[in-house]
Amino acid sequence: MTSAKIRTAKREDAATILRLIRELAEFENLLDQVRAREADILRDGFGPTPRFECLLAELDGRAAGFALYFHNYSTFEGRAGLYLEDIYISPKARGAGLGQAMMARLAAIAVERNCARLDLWVLHWNPARAFYGKLGFGHMEDWLPYRLEGAGLRKLAGADKG
Amino acid sequence: MTSAKIRTAKREDAATILRLIRELAEFENLLDQVRAREADILRDGFGPTPRFECLLAELDGRAAGFALYFHNYSTFEGRAGLYLEDIYISPKARGAGLGQAMMARLAAIAVERNCARLDLWVLHWNPARAFYGKLGFGHMEDWLPYRLEGAGLRKLAGADKG
């Protein structure tokens, strides 16, 4: 019988988190976009100004998945929410309920912290959409995600009058 | 000649921020969804655990708009970004460049903090989409926003094995 466990990631897990980030990016056909290094994970997850929190899923004591999240904010609710940046289970570890267990843990964290919501973005072709649907997530069809980055971001920054 | 100014919001601006949030919600036909109170804005914007930051746009010394944002995180970039939760200019104050000036200030903050991105969600029918496009934002067409909240969130939280 396998033993599954969800736990909070620690400093010592930074290399494991980066490995799983890279596995996820490969699954999304976006590995060429990964610029993160272990030092980034250490600084932003476990330094004096944390930018994210992370859960690890373990199967028989080995890391088999992760969920990386941070607080967002709803001005309508007047309270924070959780935003799930990444959730990933290694292919070999699928079917053991780790994804569902991590999602339940995230929901419990959200409720415990009086968060209004658990939000995420998902790629339109990702089969995980069915999984999210089963868990009760709704597709916010009225809302479209927009992004400014790279040269466009620097150009607009240059227009600031200070 | 009118004088336009963008400045960082302070504690004393909490009531003004809430008024502008409610104006924005009215514009989005979502006023019935606003549960935020001034105490929420004070706690989450100006208390010991800030959950957001806010810019105010002033025209001739009067608050005429706001931009409310917080840090998100990109695991691929290995660094934080900015997420713009709300940007709003009162109808009477439009055409004076306040929206563009707030966006330029946000971009400058992002660049100064080494943020990779400035992200937002926009309602599909909102004319601001053209404004964002002109500023260089791209619609992330491959990505869909999903949300779990209310009873669904509490139910999933109840499935957590602790």
Side-chain angles (χ1 to χ4, degrees), chain B residues 60-139:
Chain B
D60 297 327
R62 293 171 56 117
F66 78 117
L68 192 144
Y69 60 101
F70 48 80
H71 279 284
N72 60 9
Y73 195 74
S74 165
T75 48
F76 287 7
E77 294 281 350
R79 51 191 172 135
L82 291 188
Y83 182 88
L84 179 57
E85 174 70 13
D86 286 339
I87 181 164
Y88 176 76
I89 306 291
S90 284
K92 281 184 292 186
R94 290 183 195 164
L98 290 176
Q100 169 124 14
M102 278 209 292
M103 279 299 204
R105 180 64 53 87
L106 286 167
I109 293 167
V111 168
E112 184 190 308
R113 298 184 188 177
N114 192 31
C115 290
R117 305 162 172 169
L118 179 55
D119 289 328
L120 57 84
W121 291 9
V122 60
L123 279 163
H124 67 90
W125 53 260
N126 190 336
R129 286 177 65 183
F131 168 67
Y132 300 141
K134 266 196 289 186
L135 294 179
F137 280 79
H139 173 196

Side-chain angles (χ1 to χ4, degrees), chain A residues 21 24-25 28 30 33-36 40-41 43-44 51-52 66 68 70-80 83 85-86 100-101 103-105 107-108 110-111 115-125 129 132-133 135-150 152-154 156-157 159-162, chain B residues 21 24-25 28 30 33-36 40-41 43-44 51-52 66 68 70-80 83 85-86 100-101 103-105 107-108 110-111 115-125 129 132-133 135-150 152-154 156-157 159-162:
Chain A
I21 287 171
L24 166 62
E28 288 179 329
L30 298 172
Q33 293 187 15
V34 178
R35 276 174 281 270
D40 300 319
I41 303 302
R43 178 193 64 231
D44 295 331
R51 295 292 183 203
F52 66 78
F66 79 116
L68 191 143
F70 48 81
H71 279 282
N72 59 9
Y73 195 75
S74 165
T75 47
F76 288 7
E77 293 281 349
R79 52 190 171 131
Y83 182 87
E85 173 70 13
D86 287 338
Q100 168 122 16
M103 280 298 208
R105 179 66 53 85
V111 168
C115 289
R117 306 163 171 167
L118 179 54
D119 288 330
L120 56 85
W121 291 9
V122 61
L123 278 163
H124 67 89
W125 54 258
R129 287 177 64 184
Y132 300 142
L135 294 179
F137 280 79
H139 173 196
M140 310 290 288
E141 297 185 48
D142 288 350
W143 294 91
L144 308 176
Y146 272 61
R147 170 169 295 166
L148 181 66
E149 59 187 338
L153 182 64
R154 289 189 296 273
L156 184 58
D160 179 40
K161 305 279 195 306
Chain B
I21 288 169
L24 166 62
E28 288 179 329
L30 297 172
Q33 293 185 17
V34 178
R35 275 173 281 270
D40 299 319
I41 304 301
R43 180 193 63 231
D44 295 330
R51 295 293 186 201
F52 64 78
F66 78 117
L68 192 144
F70 48 80
H71 279 284
N72 60 9
Y73 195 74
S74 165
T75 48
F76 287 7
E77 294 281 350
R79 51 191 172 135
Y83 182 88
E85 174 70 13
D86 286 339
Q100 169 124 14
M103 279 299 204
R105 180 64 53 87
V111 168
C115 290
R117 305 162 172 169
L118 179 55
D119 289 328
L120 57 84
W121 291 9
V122 60
L123 279 163
H124 67 90
W125 53 260
R129 286 177 65 183
Y132 300 141
L135 294 179
F137 280 79
H139 173 196
M140 309 290 288
E141 297 187 50
D142 287 350
W143 294 91
L144 309 174
Y146 271 64
R147 173 170 293 165
L148 181 67
E149 60 188 336
L153 183 63
R154 289 188 295 275
L156 184 58
D160 178 41
K161 306 280 194 305

